[in-house]
Amino acid sequence: MLYQICNGAVRFAAETVLEHINFEIRNKEKIAVVGRNGCGKTTLLKLIAGEVELSKRDSDEDIYIARAGKPVIGYLKQNAFEDDSLTMEQEVRKAFSELLAMKAEMERLVVLMEKENEEAAVSRYVRLEERFAYLGGYSFEKEYEIVIKKLGFSPEDKQKKLSEFSGGQQTKIAFARMLLSKPDILLLDEPTNHLDIATISWLEGYLKDYDRAVVIVSHDRMFLDRVVDVVYEIEYKTAVRYPGNYSAFVERKRLNWEKQQKDYELQQKEIERLQTLVERFKNKPTKVAMTRSKLKQIEHMVKIDAPARYDLKSFHADFQPARESVTDVLRAAQLRIGYDRPLAEVTFEQKKGQKIGIIGDNGSGKSTLLRTLTGQLEPLGGSFAFGDRVDIGYFEQQMAQYTSDKTVLEDFWEEFPDLKRLEVRSWLGAFLFGQEEVFKKIDMLSGGEKVRLALAKIFRRLPNYLILDEPTNHMDIVGKESLEAMLKAYPGSVLFVSHDRYFVKEIADSLLVFENGTVNFYPFGYEQYWEKLQADEKERQDQQADGKAQPSVKSTVVSAKDRSPEKAVDALEPLKNVADRKGYNPGKEEAKRKRRLERLEMLIAQKEEELAAYQSQMKEPSIQSDFEKLMELEALCTAADEQLEVLMTEWEESGS
């Protein structure tokens, strides 16, 4: 057992957040903590991190936290920077402070051993080197470069001050430092926020291969399915442990509820039968013994409680658009989107009732496309046009940061002054703003509550075309499922951006994918896109098996060392000072120079193909989840870049 909470409770003033919490981290488990917003998930993480203490209770129960040894606990927090004047590199490399100190000490010991072959110094060096190797001392520099790159940062970003990055980017930087510090217990609160699908896929592989414990709070169902092997659900202020991933938890919980419900119903029938017998014979002198026996049987029965209903308090508004649109709702032709320069060119058509999801890397142009379509940005080229009678409802990400000193009721009614009070209360109630919630100030709402209020306003306008930019951000799993149900029943058209792959798979019947600098349309949705990725991966593997593709990663590591920049061109005869040679012939030398240029151009083309092959392999799903291979490919790309630079320099000199 690495870590254990026994009968834990956390109270803030008079409010009990957690009660009778039993929680265990066993060895290298990957644990998910799930539950409704506000149930205490983050409080549990803070308790594990030592930022919150157990509350004392008036009972004889054992209440304690136990740890095996002194495990290092890392907790990814928001706004975790003590000094935002530091550069990104300075902040992230704090993760290697111990390794850097060990490296400096090892270098000092080497110098000492060269001068004086002291046994103590040798022994100290051996112990230190073993620890250094165990902590990844010989790979941390490469790992640093890979993590930074996979989180979407450029080499130039390393020297930027923390204060120059956006809030989302700062979260990524804190995340990078946390990953690279490799604590014994890694605590992650919504780690997939601000990450695109490609990065999430890489993170899945990284965490699965992480050789220490991880505790994750997340509403990303597909992410949890692919990473965790244990789920704790916090419900009614306590936690229940379920083995398996998120899908296994959902199924196990359903089966447990059904079994308890069945057992409860059977027991109630038996109690009813016994009570009927007692009532029938209680006044008959010959049946006194029997009735007493039946009453004792009921009294001594271990009562089975009726299972509590799932906490499925969800929002739902069943509405029809005010009018129908034409069949062709949107057409975009070579639409170039961007700000000062084009980010992408988009061509697609959308029919009435079609739901199109948009996925892709951060910064690729997904939200920019929505802003262009809604008139917030001018197109940089091409064209787009909506069909007749298209009424748009637009949800922006920024709506979760909406501020106002008005109450929910005042804010909503102000936008729909023609509605009666009962209509307003009824509509807000459908979005979980009940008797008390409608009088809450907007500024006091959570991000999830602000999203619900924004959706309530948008849907009340009865549009027939929805444009949604990350609508599930800040929502818990039940909230996402509620929105999924609404959109599935919605007869209008939908165009939406989301990083939630499960949500995309459930809603989108077609897909726009911003990938590799292009925008591709998949008419049959996420499954078609995933099958394409799998087919590409299988084709690559088949080609490798047939000897038609690039050498495997393992084999190319060795060959890359052999193909140094010097050896890449050593077969080419130098041209310097050729005029000093005996028998110098200008015509022959010119012909030789041209052949040399052709040879260099061929080598450059080969090296560019090799580099492109490595880069392509790095984007493949199987490689994204294999950290070791990813590091090797990164090294190969660096070597190929260096060799290409040498060849290009030689080509320029030969051509002058």
Side-chain angles (χ1 to χ4, degrees):
M1 192 73 64
L2 182 62
Y3 181 94
Q4 182 181 23
I5 302 172
C6 181
N7 291 318
V10 177
R11 298 188 183 94
F12 299 113
E15 182 184 2
T16 300
V17 180
L18 300 173
E19 188 78 28
H20 296 290
I21 290 291
N22 293 292
F23 183 88
E24 297 176 351
I25 303 175
R26 304 171 186 172
N27 302 318
K28 301 175 182 179
E29 287 182 331
K30 308 298 185 290
I31 299 171
V33 181
V34 302
R36 297 299 303 267
N37 284 344
C39 71
K41 300 186 297 294
T42 297
T43 301
L44 178 60
L45 292 190
K46 290 181 177 180
L47 181 61
I48 300 170
E51 297 187 359
V52 171
E53 295 183 353
L54 288 177
S55 300
K56 296 181 179 179
R57 291 172 39 200
D58 298 326
S59 80
D60 296 329
E61 295 178 301
D62 287 336
I63 303 170
Y64 61 83
I65 292 177
R67 302 172 181 85
K70 297 181 179 179
V72 177
I73 298 175
Y75 179 27
L76 178 64
K77 297 184 289 185
Q78 307 295 322
N79 304 320
F81 305 130
E82 297 177 357
D83 183 1
D84 63 3
S85 67
L86 296 178
T87 65
M88 184 186 80
E89 179 155 12
Q90 289 172 326
E91 179 65 28
V92 175
R93 290 181 72 87
K94 287 180 181 179
F96 307 127
S97 57
E98 182 181 0
L99 285 171
L100 292 170
M102 292 171 68
K103 185 178 181 181
E105 176 64 7
M106 288 166 63
E107 291 172 351
R108 187 188 71 79
L109 290 171
V110 168
V111 173
L112 184 61
M113 288 186 295
E114 289 175 350
K115 292 181 179 178
E116 310 171 18
N117 192 15
E118 293 185 7
E119 187 174 339
V122 174
S123 178
R124 165 76 173 155
Y125 181 88
V126 170
R127 292 195 306 270
L128 201 60
E129 197 274 338
E130 288 179 355
R131 176 68 175 168
F132 185 75
Y134 171 76
L135 294 176
Y138 294 111
S139 62
F140 76 90
E141 292 288 358
K142 289 182 179 178
E143 191 172 353
Y144 162 69
E145 295 295 337
I146 289 173
V147 169
I148 290 298
K149 185 174 182 178
K150 295 307 297 182
L151 289 173
F153 295 104
S154 67
E156 293 75 23
D157 288 333
K158 294 179 184 178
Q159 303 308 318
K160 288 173 62 175
K161 292 182 179 180
L162 296 173
S163 58
E164 298 177 33
F165 292 98
S166 67
Q169 289 174 316
Q170 289 184 4
T171 300
K172 285 187 179 183
I173 294 170
F175 191 32
R177 179 186 167 185
M178 186 60 59
L179 285 179
L180 292 168
S181 65
K182 294 188 176 181
D184 299 306
I185 302 175
L186 180 58
L187 307 178
L188 303 176
D189 197 347
E190 296 292 350
T192 61
N193 284 357
H194 310 295
L195 301 183
D196 54 46
I197 289 176
T199 308
I200 292 172
S201 179
W202 167 80
L203 181 61
E204 287 170 351
Y206 187 98
L207 293 178
K208 283 171 67 177
D209 294 336
Y210 188 69
D211 63 351
R212 301 168 202 188
V214 183
V215 182
I216 305 168
V217 170
S218 177
H219 296 138
D220 189 328
R221 293 158 289 180
M222 192 173 290
F223 178 78
L224 295 180
D225 263 351
R226 294 180 177 178
V227 174
V228 308
D229 44 44
V230 175
V231 174
Y232 275 92
E233 183 191 30
I234 298 180
E235 193 176 28
Y236 308 113
K237 301 179 183 181
T238 192
V240 179
R241 180 183 174 101
Y242 296 85
N245 62 10
Y246 180 79
S247 292
F249 147 71
V250 172
E251 180 64 12
R252 180 68 65 88
K253 185 174 181 179
R254 182 186 67 81
L255 292 174
N256 288 351
W257 188 93
E258 290 178 353
K259 184 180 184 304
Q260 187 177 348
Q261 179 69 22
K262 184 179 179 180
D263 291 345
Y264 170 77
E265 291 173 354
L266 289 172
Q267 188 179 67
Q268 291 299 307
K269 285 182 180 180
E270 178 64 9
I271 292 172
E272 185 179 353
R273 186 185 71 82
L274 294 174
Q275 287 175 335
T276 300
L277 289 173
V278 170
E279 287 296 321
R280 182 182 297 177
F281 299 111
K282 67 181 180 180
N283 295 321
K284 294 187 178 184
T286 58
K287 302 292 184 181
V288 171
M290 186 198 74
T291 55
R292 287 177 180 172
S293 172
K294 301 303 180 188
L295 285 172
K296 285 184 179 180
Q297 191 175 341
I298 295 172
E299 183 181 342
H300 294 140
M301 196 178 284
V302 178
K303 299 297 190 297
I304 299 173
D305 295 327
R309 286 301 311 176
Y310 294 179
D311 185 11
L312 294 180
K313 190 179 181 184
S314 60
F315 62 89
H316 184 73
D318 187 14
F319 73 96
Q320 296 291 321
R323 60 178 183 170
E324 287 192 14
S325 67
V326 295
T327 301
D328 297 319
V329 295
L330 174 61
R331 179 175 295 173
Q334 298 177 318
L335 176 63
R336 289 193 293 278
I337 58 173
Y339 294 85
D340 54 340
R341 61 178 181 82
L343 289 173
E345 183 176 289
V346 186
T347 297
F348 73 102
E349 295 181 0
Q350 187 171 8
K351 302 294 184 181
K352 181 175 68 175
Q354 189 177 11
K355 297 176 176 65
I356 299 178
I358 305 174
I359 63 175
D361 295 343
N362 287 336
S364 59
K366 305 184 302 296
S367 295
T368 305
L369 171 61
L370 301 191
R371 295 190 187 104
T372 303
L373 295 175
T374 54
Q376 299 181 58
L377 292 174
E378 291 292 327
L380 301 182
S383 64
F384 74 92
F386 289 100
D388 292 335
R389 300 194 304 277
V390 172
D391 303 321
I392 296 173
Y394 178 38
F395 175 88
E396 299 183 79
Q397 292 188 51
Q398 291 75 16
M399 289 178 175
Q401 283 77 49
Y402 175 53
T403 59
S404 173
D405 61 355
K406 298 185 180 72
T407 67
V408 171
L409 183 65
E410 292 168 343
D411 185 79
F412 184 88
W413 212 346
E414 188 175 274
E415 289 205 26
F416 304 96
D418 295 335
L419 294 180
K420 297 179 180 178
R421 186 180 184 88
L422 182 60
E423 291 176 309
V424 172
R425 294 296 301 269
S426 176
W427 189 264
L428 288 174
F431 289 84
L432 305 184
F433 295 104
Q435 295 182 356
E436 301 298 327
E437 287 82 0
V438 296
F439 299 111
K440 289 174 68 174
K441 297 281 189 181
I442 300 292
D443 288 343
M444 299 302 294
L445 298 180
S446 67
E449 289 172 322
K450 290 179 180 180
V451 168
R452 276 194 275 117
L453 178 59
L455 292 173
K457 294 177 184 177
I458 292 168
F459 291 159
R460 191 60 188 84
R461 300 186 187 105
L462 308 181
N464 55 35
Y465 189 96
L466 294 174
I467 297 179
L468 311 174
D469 194 358
E470 296 288 1
T472 63
N473 280 359
H474 307 283
M475 282 188 181
D476 58 23
I477 290 175
V478 174
K480 292 180 180 182
E481 291 172 346
S482 300
L483 183 58
E484 285 166 8
M486 289 182 65
L487 293 179
K488 285 179 179 179
Y490 175 64
S493 311
V494 184
L495 183 67
F496 70 96
V497 170
S498 180
H499 288 146
D500 189 320
R501 295 160 297 172
Y502 192 96
F503 181 79
V504 172
K505 183 168 73 70
E506 287 295 301
I507 300 302
D509 43 44
S510 301
L511 210 61
L512 273 176
V513 182
F514 287 65
E515 53 185 347
N516 303 323
T518 63
V519 182
N520 297 313
F521 185 73
Y522 295 84
F524 303 108
Y526 191 86
E527 293 296 341
Q528 182 193 13
Y529 169 65
W530 182 248
E531 287 173 4
K532 189 250 185 193
L533 292 181
Q534 296 297 96
D536 290 347
E537 171 65 10
K538 186 178 184 303
E539 182 180 359
R540 186 190 67 83
Q541 292 177 354
D542 290 345
Q543 287 178 341
Q544 286 186 342
D546 295 338
K548 298 176 181 179
Q550 292 291 324
S552 66
V553 174
K554 296 286 186 185
S555 66
T556 52
V557 175
V558 178
S559 61
K561 292 178 180 179
D562 294 337
R563 294 194 301 272
S564 64
E566 293 80 9
K567 291 183 179 181
V569 293
D570 60 3
L572 302 177
E573 183 184 355
L575 293 179
K576 293 181 180 180
N577 301 319
V578 292
D580 298 334
R581 291 201 321 245
K582 188 176 179 180
Y584 171 68
N585 186 313
K588 286 184 178 181
E589 294 301 331
E590 176 61 20
K592 188 179 289 186
R593 187 184 72 84
K594 288 181 178 180
R595 288 196 299 272
R596 181 179 178 82
L597 282 171
E598 291 172 358
R599 175 65 175 162
L600 279 167
E601 288 167 357
M602 183 186 70
L603 289 172
I604 289 169
Q606 290 177 349
K607 190 58 62 179
E608 287 176 337
E609 289 178 5
E610 181 182 321
L611 180 60
Y614 294 146
Q615 292 171 338
S616 178
Q617 286 185 57
M618 292 177 69
K619 296 175 182 178
E620 293 166 4
S622 63
I623 300 296
Q624 293 274 332
S625 61
D626 191 327
F627 183 72
E628 183 180 353
K629 289 184 179 179
L630 201 60
M631 288 182 65
E632 292 174 353
L633 282 168
E634 187 76 23
L636 290 172
C637 283
T638 301
D641 260 332
E642 292 173 354
Q643 294 163 19
L644 188 60
E645 186 177 350
V646 171
L647 289 168
M648 290 297 297
T649 301
E650 186 71 22
W651 180 82
E652 290 173 357
E653 292 176 353
S654 300
S656 60

